[in-house]
Amino acid sequence: MTSTERKYVIVVRDGKTVREDVSTGNESNDKIEILGNVRPGESVVANANDEIKEGTVVK
């Protein structure tokens, strides 16, 4: 997601959503490389939007 202040992804960490600042790298048809503090095994919310608040519990 990109806002006027930052570029970030929403990841699920310890069962809750967290906004992680990222930069983008290589892009292909349906994939974008993200560079930032996203840890192995964490899920990235693919269809994120502003309505997903930080700290939302994910089941």
Side-chain angles (χ1 to χ4, degrees):
M1 295 193 48
T2 302
S3 71
T4 55
E5 295 114 21
R6 63 198 272 207
K7 185 182 290 190
Y8 62 92
V9 294
I10 299 176
V11 298
V12 179
R13 183 174 295 149
D14 300 323
K16 296 181 181 179
T17 58
V18 177
R19 292 181 179 186
E20 268 309 331
D21 292 324
V22 296
S23 57
T24 54
N26 295 321
E27 296 184 32
S28 65
N29 294 336
D30 61 345
K31 296 178 183 176
I32 300 173
E33 178 182 34
I34 57 170
L35 308 166
N37 190 27
V38 178
R39 303 172 190 161
E42 289 181 326
S43 297
V44 175
V45 178
N47 294 316
N49 60 52
D50 290 347
E51 295 177 16
I52 301 173
K53 302 298 180 200
E54 188 147 358
T56 300
V57 175
V58 178
K59 297 180 183 179

